[in-house]
Amino acid sequence: MITHHPSDETLFRYANGSLEAGPRIVVAVHVGGCAACAGRIGEFEAVGGSLLHDIEPDRMEAGALDRVMAMIDAAGIGRAEIAATPRLPRADLGIRLPEVLDDCGIGPWRWIGPGVRWSRVTLPDDGSANVMLLKVVAGRRLPEHTHAGYEYTHVLKGSFSDARGRYGPGDLDEADDDVQHQPVVDREGECICVAALEGQMKLRGLFGRLIQPLLGG
Amino acid sequence: MNASGHGFIADRALLAFDLSKTGLALTMRQDQSVLSANEASRLLVAVAANRDRAAFAILFGFYAPRLKAFLRRSGMTASVAEDIAQETMLLVWNKASYFDPARAGVSTWIFTIARNARIDRLRRDSRPALIAEAFDPSDQPDEPVSGEQAVIASEREERVRAALRLLPPEQADILKMSFFGEETQSEIADAVGIPLGTVKSRVRLALGRLRQILDDLK
């Protein structure tokens, strides 16, 4: 059962399109399995629909409709090729990844510390987004840390706990710079998460501290 | 804020001028002023089923000028807003068969297409080397909609409209304004003379209130 959801602010920013690419895809993974958040986003999108419907219209340039009609007439050729973008390389990580990540590049597991491995996730449309998969062995305690900005962590498998609660499959942990925690992976098994950092800032959070040297930052 | 206000007045004057010269046909095509949700839905279904250009022209007349206004409010220049509004309407034509009245209203559906087109554009502009094919959850294949879901979708739109009316006006305003994005939040802060952090906490409060109202209306 899902007990940790993205905040309303985050879902609002997802709906209005201002959430960055990295957090956006991690939230999309969560929403793919969470009817409550999908419904909430639907509500916020309906706010957008209502604003669009009621806004004082602007004036389109003369001939705008004709131009679009001409594009419609010209279409049908070439669109298929545009869609067939080269697939990004995907390593087999030994787990079934959510469909939302189907178009992403997936790097191989890399060791970054005792019991901790990470894999870089490359978004097809934004190669610079900080998205990664993280795999931590059962019972491992991570170093105490704070965050430089927002960090979004969605649990795919296993679970971890900290002072705020227990995070299991389907849960999304949204940790801001106020959160200081020392997560412990539960003893039942390894924990695999997909995580994203907001912003292009220097990485200082949990993953940042672990991964910084590898990113050459 | 002032500058765009003047631009807007000028646009309206131009529009009135054009209308007086070219008459009704332009009114239909450039400034469709009323379109009910049911009518919009019927037109879009006609576009999907029959590639109905007349139906599309009416949708274009209503939505394109509103998309342009919406995109300008979101911080795009007039020419980029024009461009994305046209692109969005082209996508409306291309994706019409994906529209499912059981899932969302036409305005909401078109809003999500414009939102994704805007995200796509911003990324393309900032990183021209990358192939821009925006991640778009609305393109994911949908599971068939059950009867229960169909009721929920149309009810949801109604509920959201009702909730926005039930919100205290200042909270409704701040939500509406902040919907246009982060930049707008700084503008709100400047306009109201409060720190950005205060705007953010007021948005949080307004969202909490909206959630309460929406849940009460269920």
Side-chain angles (χ1 to χ4, degrees):
Chain A
M1 194 189 127
I2 300 172
T3 49
H4 299 276
H5 301 268
S7 66
D8 274 2
E9 294 96 292
T10 296
L11 296 177
F12 188 75
R13 289 170 65 216
Y14 184 98
N16 77 4
S18 65
L19 196 62
E20 286 174 20
R24 184 173 183 80
I25 201 158
V26 174
V27 171
V29 169
H30 173 84
V31 170
C34 180
C37 288
R40 190 64 67 189
I41 286 173
E43 286 169 353
F44 292 153
E45 286 174 344
V47 172
S50 151
L51 285 172
L52 175 64
H53 189 274
D54 296 340
I55 200 166
E56 187 66 38
D58 214 329
R59 197 178 70 99
M60 292 295 282
E61 282 167 14
L65 176 58
D66 294 338
R67 211 166 307 143
V68 172
M69 283 302 188
M71 287 192 273
I72 287 168
D73 290 331
I77 323 146
R79 283 201 66 79
E81 289 101 275
I82 294 167
T85 51
R87 305 267 307 162
L88 293 163
R90 289 172 69 88
D92 181 5
L93 299 185
I95 52 157
R96 191 160 173 267
L97 293 172
E99 277 175 32
V100 170
L101 302 178
D102 277 358
D103 293 331
C104 295
I106 305 289
W109 286 126
R110 291 178 192 281
W111 184 93
I112 42 166
V116 187
R117 284 166 198 275
W118 80 295
S119 147
R120 182 185 255 301
V121 177
T122 311
L123 307 196
D125 55 338
D126 192 340
S128 68
N130 291 313
V131 184
M132 65 214 78
L133 290 151
L134 201 77
K135 179 163 82 166
V136 186
V137 297
R140 171 109 177 111
R141 177 177 294 271
L142 292 163
E144 185 169 23
H145 65 282
T146 56
H147 302 264
Y150 269 83
E151 218 167 74
Y152 301 79
T153 308
H154 176 89
V155 182
L156 296 173
K157 181 189 174 195
S159 60
F160 68 86
S161 304
D162 67 13
R164 298 166 305 153
R166 182 165 181 273
Y167 295 80
D171 280 335
L172 186 139
D173 175 19
E174 197 178 304
D176 64 13
D177 40 16
D178 294 336
V179 173
Q180 179 164 21
H181 64 161
Q182 189 171 20
V184 183
V185 170
D186 294 330
R187 301 203 160 275
E188 290 79 59
E190 67 181 8
C191 179
I192 299 179
C193 300
V194 56
L197 298 155
E198 193 150 50
Q200 308 294 323
M201 84 275 279
K202 270 209 173 272
L203 310 178
R204 279 184 292 154
L206 163 59
F207 311 119
R209 193 176 292 176
L210 295 168
I211 286 162
Q212 188 79 37
L214 295 166
L215 295 179
Chain B
M1 289 299 265
N2 255 341
S4 64
H6 287 308
F8 178 66
I9 290 163
D11 286 350
R12 297 303 290 179
L14 265 175
L15 177 61
F17 176 73
D18 283 355
L19 286 178
S20 69
K21 279 176 77 176
T22 52
L24 187 66
L26 190 69
T27 318
M28 283 298 293
R29 294 182 70 173
Q30 286 282 37
D31 191 23
Q32 176 83 26
S33 61
V34 185
L35 190 64
S36 75
N38 282 341
E39 180 65 0
S41 181
R42 195 189 63 73
L43 291 167
L44 192 47
V45 169
V47 169
N50 312 320
R51 308 271 76 188
D52 184 332
R53 288 173 180 240
F56 180 74
I58 298 173
L59 288 169
F60 189 98
F62 184 79
Y63 283 108
R66 283 167 176 79
L67 285 166
K68 186 174 179 182
F70 194 100
L71 290 159
R72 286 185 71 179
R73 280 291 305 273
S74 308
M76 323 236 63
T77 64
S79 71
V80 175
E82 168 84 26
D83 208 32
I84 300 179
Q86 288 186 21
E87 187 186 330
T88 301
M89 291 311 297
L90 179 63
L91 288 166
V92 166
W93 174 274
N94 288 338
K95 293 184 172 194
S97 61
Y98 291 96
F99 171 70
D100 181 349
R103 288 189 171 271
V106 175
S107 295
T108 299
W109 185 71
I110 292 181
F111 156 72
T112 59
I113 292 176
R115 172 197 66 193
N116 295 342
R118 178 174 175 270
I119 291 174
D120 201 8
R121 177 67 60 105
L122 291 171
R123 292 205 193 130
R124 225 179 320 170
D125 288 351
S126 60
R127 297 179 192 85
L130 288 162
I131 300 155
E133 183 73 11
F135 165 70
D136 179 357
S138 67
D139 279 352
Q140 303 277 320
D142 290 337
E143 302 106 52
V145 177
S146 69
E148 194 185 351
Q149 269 179 305
V151 178
I152 291 170
S154 62
E155 265 182 12
R156 175 200 287 156
E157 309 259 324
E158 281 305 307
R159 250 179 336 112
V160 167
R161 282 185 161 270
L164 286 173
R165 283 194 299 270
L166 288 169
L167 267 184
E170 63 278 11
Q171 288 198 325
D173 285 349
I174 206 157
L175 271 193
K176 287 178 187 173
M177 284 193 281
S178 63
F179 198 89
F180 292 103
E182 310 275 286
E183 281 172 41
T184 323
Q185 291 207 349
S186 329
E187 279 174 24
I188 300 170
D190 289 347
V192 188
I194 52 176
L196 185 58
T198 311
V199 177
K200 287 187 191 293
S201 61
R202 286 194 191 170
V203 170
R204 199 170 305 139
L205 279 175
L207 281 173
R209 186 82 192 99
L210 182 69
R211 175 182 276 246
Q212 251 172 21
I213 295 174
L214 284 170
D215 290 348
D216 287 349
L217 289 174
K218 261 183 192 164

